[in-house]
Amino acid sequence: MCGIFGYWSRTRQPLTDDALSAMARTLVHRGPDDEGIWHRPQRGVAIGNRRLSIIDLGGGHQPFVSDDGQVAVVQNGEIFNHIELAAELRLQGVQLRTASDTEVILRLYEREGIGFVRKLNGMFAIAIDDAREDAMYLVRDRIGVKPLYIADDGDTVAFASEIKAIKALPLSNRSQFAIDIEAIHHYLSFNYIPAPWTIHAGVRHVMPGTWMKFTRHAGVQTQRWWNLADQREQDFTYEAWAEEFMATLDDATRIRLRADVPFGAFLSGGVDSSTIVGLMARHVDRPVKTFCIGFADPRYDESAFALQAAQRFGCEHTSEVAELNMLARWPQVLHHLDQPHGDASFMPTLRVSELAAKHVKVVLTGDGGDELFAGYDKYAAFFARPDAQSLPTASFQRQYFDAISLFSPEAKRALYQPAVRARLEGIDSFSVAAKPWFDQAQHFDRINQALYLDMQLLLSGNNLVKPDRMGMAVSIEARTPFLDWRMMELAFRSRGSTKLGPGGDKKHWFKRAAAPLIGEDLAYRKKQMFTVPIGEWFKGESHGWLRDTLRGSELLAQTFERPVMDAMLTQHREGSANFTRELRALAALAVWGSHREGAAASP
């Protein structure tokens, strides 16, 4: 795990070494162990790395450079099949000088060009400077486990693992960092800003499963090198499916245990994390280190289930009771996110990351299981509708989107200041942010169409941001076995009826397959969201803070109608309406805006 950064100047105008050092400093939390920068001022290009040493602690310094000095590579992430790829290279006569997965990337690229990326099983954001072509490549992993942002002012392309590193540069066009009002428009629908947008008008994502190539003569080439929609559903017997599912997940877990530093797992006692820990225990010769935080309020406390799983697998379990009201941590969380996110679970995720960081540098997590196998209540609720399968395609897509949206189009229009409303007239979040993904997935059944939407938007936009940024905030690496490409492809070869069963049984075949490993009690326990009772705080102890935060935000004042926000506050406090999610999103935007202005409020 690392942070990468750099630039590409179309005019060969070099940035200073001081500017590159400034980028590196913003990413020290992602890579506290080492720093390396490959800078060729005469060509106007640099790639750099801040390293968290996980594999080949002594030999893994980045950048890796070819023997002739013409190709340099940096990466953020891990290539979990690097041992097998290294063995293939040696059989072909390639000499490898280290045990680093980044050297494997370099040698594969030298032999095969950019097509090598399809061989990688991992989570990665990669930058390659190829002086032979006078070109730079940026590559992102299949589903966006690792972040990668770019800003292009027409002369210079800057890239980094986090937006704050790009903002450290003295770019000529600072308007790139102006607030993107369209991004806020989409944020109010999704509770996060969906890729490729960011809160900044001139900063965008390198999209998952995509590479970009920058050259002097051909401009920018973009190619999607992996697409989950290429899968086709097929019929399985349960027995055949369960065998492939458990074998695939077991191997995905096994290769994610490759590390030269202590590792462990986040364990909630839910079916996802319990299954991963159970599989980990098969492959290690000492107790798995597991980590959990509990709360004094039993409605939000899963620690008893985590302990049950830990005892079942003989884990070395660490659990702490955390403070329930974590609003004081929100400015810190949003600093690491670089953008507003309305998801309150980022706060307890930071807390459990801090706990784990005292003991390990790597954790395995259960992220991705809900999106692959229909683990959320929203899926059961929508597909319980009698017309869910019979609606015309356009109606299904729109009504599903409406069912999962935070603010409706009408509520957004009522909230906006007149000038903002006029600027956003005709921009429909469904049409521009959701429908293109739905259209790619029309060959799937409707349950899988809904899951595909979340795989493309919710995962990379929010749910994978959480373990990456909160783990990196305290310099630990999170690994996600469910998002091994083999598991993702199996999931979308599986029909929706294997995921959402009779009566809305979520993770239908998954739970049945995992039950022999983790036990019936853990496999079939009621799902409990990893969150905090923020809606109750907004009614009681934190109502004053919320009111002052919303009213004191310059960003909100410029964008939204205060009487509409005040009405939501009043109705929520009185209990005549539940605006928990809406107020949480507005508060996150206000806190982020205050931090941006240098005066973050404290609750």
Side-chain angles (χ1 to χ4, degrees):
M1 185 75 75
C2 306
I4 64 172
F5 57 92
Y7 79 98
W8 166 269
S9 172
R10 293 183 176 87
T11 60
R12 294 185 173 85
Q13 185 66 34
L15 295 178
T16 66
D17 290 340
D18 286 345
L20 295 169
S21 294
M23 295 185 85
R25 283 194 298 273
T26 68
L27 299 174
V28 167
H29 55 285
R30 296 190 73 92
D33 299 328
D34 192 14
E35 177 178 313
I37 298 175
W38 171 263
H39 192 193
R40 291 298 177 263
Q42 70 277 13
R43 290 180 43 238
V45 59
I47 61 174
N49 170 272
R50 283 293 321 186
R51 184 177 180 222
L52 179 67
S53 302
I54 301 292
I55 292 173
D56 193 357
L57 305 187
H61 173 79
Q62 299 185 43
F64 271 81
V65 182
S66 61
D67 296 345
D68 61 5
Q70 296 297 293
V71 179
V73 175
V74 293
Q75 73 144 331
N76 164 31
E78 304 289 355
I79 309 305
F80 299 118
N81 64 333
H82 72 279
I83 292 175
E84 291 78 9
L85 293 173
E88 291 178 15
L89 285 166
R90 290 189 180 98
L91 285 174
Q92 296 167 15
V94 176
Q95 181 181 0
L96 296 170
R97 298 182 177 87
T98 73
S100 170
D101 56 340
T102 309
E103 185 181 7
V104 170
I105 293 173
L106 170 66
R107 302 307 176 190
L108 283 171
Y109 175 76
E110 286 182 300
R111 292 182 69 83
E112 302 179 20
I114 197 62
F116 84 92
V117 69
R118 296 179 179 86
K119 291 186 172 182
L120 304 183
N121 187 341
M123 53 181 192
F124 48 85
I126 300 168
I128 301 171
D129 174 38
D130 188 341
R132 301 169 306 182
E133 297 186 57
D134 197 16
M136 183 178 72
Y137 286 96
L138 298 177
V139 187
R140 196 168 177 206
D141 67 52
R142 290 172 174 83
I143 207 65
V145 181
K146 294 293 102 189
L148 188 56
Y149 298 94
I150 59 169
D152 187 347
D153 68 2
D155 294 328
T156 301
V157 177
F159 71 90
S161 298
E162 296 185 11
I163 295 172
K164 60 178 64 68
I166 297 174
K167 294 179 75 173
L169 284 178
L171 299 179
S172 60
N173 184 4
R174 302 301 292 182
S175 64
Q176 293 178 97
F177 303 115
I179 296 294
D180 186 341
I181 196 66
E182 182 181 346
I184 292 178
H185 185 58
H186 301 322
Y187 170 76
L188 294 180
S189 288
F190 291 97
N191 202 38
Y192 57 89
I193 297 172
W197 294 271
T198 78
I199 192 65
H200 301 291
V203 180
R204 292 293 181 258
H205 296 259
V206 175
M207 294 298 284
T210 297
W211 56 254
M212 302 181 74
K213 181 180 182 181
F214 300 87
T215 60
R216 316 284 177 192
H217 58 280
V220 182
Q221 297 172 253
T222 300
Q223 181 170 315
R224 191 169 181 187
W225 60 270
W226 184 83
N227 190 346
L228 187 57
D230 290 341
Q231 302 307 304
R232 294 296 183 270
E233 293 158 342
Q234 62 190 68
D235 292 321
F236 289 89
T237 64
Y238 166 73
E239 290 73 19
W241 183 90
E243 181 179 359
E244 184 172 353
F245 170 79
M246 291 303 295
T248 302
L249 189 57
D250 180 72
D251 196 60
T253 301
R254 177 187 66 84
I255 63 175
R256 281 163 178 77
L257 298 176
R258 292 171 169 174
D260 296 327
V261 296
F263 57 82
F266 289 159
L267 179 59
S268 68
V271 64
D272 297 337
S273 64
S274 297
T275 301
I276 296 303
V277 169
L279 295 173
M280 291 174 71
R282 292 178 171 180
H283 296 289
V284 296
D285 57 5
R286 60 181 68 106
V288 177
K289 298 177 186 290
T290 53
F291 305 95
C292 170
I293 61 168
F295 299 108
D297 188 331
R299 294 173 300 166
Y300 300 92
D301 182 35
E302 295 185 280
S303 59
F305 298 108
L307 179 61
Q308 180 183 344
Q311 290 174 338
R312 181 180 181 92
F313 299 115
C315 298
E316 182 182 322
H317 188 58
T318 302
S319 178
E320 287 186 2
V321 177
E323 69 281 9
L324 188 57
N325 193 330
M326 296 183 173
L327 285 180
R329 308 297 301 273
W330 218 348
Q332 179 187 6
V333 164
L334 290 165
H335 164 76
H336 284 286
L337 296 176
D338 287 322
Q339 300 197 83
H341 284 258
D343 185 344
S345 66
F346 280 83
M347 288 178 271
T349 301
L350 176 61
R351 184 67 189 86
V352 74
S353 297
E354 291 171 335
L355 178 63
K358 298 175 183 177
H359 306 272
V360 298
K361 290 182 77 170
V362 173
V363 290
L364 273 63
T365 81
D367 291 291
D370 288 318
E371 294 82 3
L372 287 170
F373 298 106
Y376 296 129
D377 287 341
K378 65 181 181 180
Y379 305 130
F382 185 86
F383 287 101
R385 293 174 41 166
D387 63 349
Q389 301 292 350
S390 60
L391 285 167
T393 297
S395 297
F396 160 71
Q397 293 178 355
R398 183 80 218 199
Q399 290 186 38
Y400 180 77
F401 174 80
D402 290 343
I404 65 172
S405 292
L406 181 59
F407 285 85
S408 69
E410 296 75 23
K412 289 196 285 188
R413 282 193 291 270
L415 183 61
Y416 292 145
Q417 293 274 7
V420 174
R421 191 180 308 125
R423 283 179 60 190
L424 293 170
E425 192 66 37
I427 299 177
D428 176 36
S429 294
F430 166 76
S431 298
V432 300
K435 192 175 189 305
W437 298 115
F438 268 130
D439 289 347
Q440 289 183 15
Q442 287 193 54
H443 59 286
F444 292 135
D445 64 43
R446 289 196 168 172
I447 293 170
N448 277 332
Q449 288 180 43
L451 298 177
Y452 184 81
L453 185 71
D454 278 348
M455 290 295 293
Q456 303 302 330
L457 291 176
L458 179 62
L459 265 181
S460 65
N462 190 82
N463 290 1
L464 291 176
V465 179
K466 181 166 41 181
D468 177 81
R469 304 303 195 284
M470 297 302 95
M472 286 284 84
V474 293
S475 305
I476 63 170
E477 173 178 289
R479 298 178 173 182
T480 52
F482 280 105
L483 297 176
D484 187 293
W485 68 267
R486 298 167 295 174
M487 179 58 67
M488 291 189 288
E489 292 188 354
L490 171 62
F492 280 83
R493 295 198 311 272
S494 308
R495 299 196 186 280
S497 58
T498 70
K499 305 173 183 183
L500 199 58
D505 181 32
K506 302 183 292 294
K507 295 180 179 169
H508 181 45
W509 279 9
F510 172 1
K511 292 185 294 187
R512 184 177 168 190
L517 174 67
I518 67 176
E520 298 278 335
D521 289 348
L522 290 173
Y524 290 100
R525 59 163 284 219
K526 181 176 173 57
K527 183 176 179 61
Q528 190 170 339
M529 297 300 289
F530 186 55
T531 190
V532 289
I534 198 167
E536 295 180 15
W537 306 339
F538 287 170
K539 287 183 180 180
E541 60 192 274
S542 299
H543 178 79
W545 171 85
L546 175 64
R547 180 196 62 231
D548 294 344
T549 296
L550 299 187
R551 289 180 177 176
S553 168
E554 180 180 340
L555 176 57
L556 267 58
Q558 294 171 350
T559 310
F560 304 131
E561 293 277 14
R562 178 168 168 177
V564 177
M565 292 190 292
D566 284 347
M568 293 169 62
L569 280 166
T570 300
Q571 292 172 43
H572 183 80
R573 188 176 196 185
E574 293 175 347
S576 59
N578 182 356
F579 287 118
T580 295
R581 297 178 70 237
E582 293 87 347
L583 290 170
R584 188 178 64 194
L586 294 175
L589 186 58
V591 174
W592 176 85
S594 297
H595 174 79
R596 174 176 176 263
E597 294 150 15
S602 295

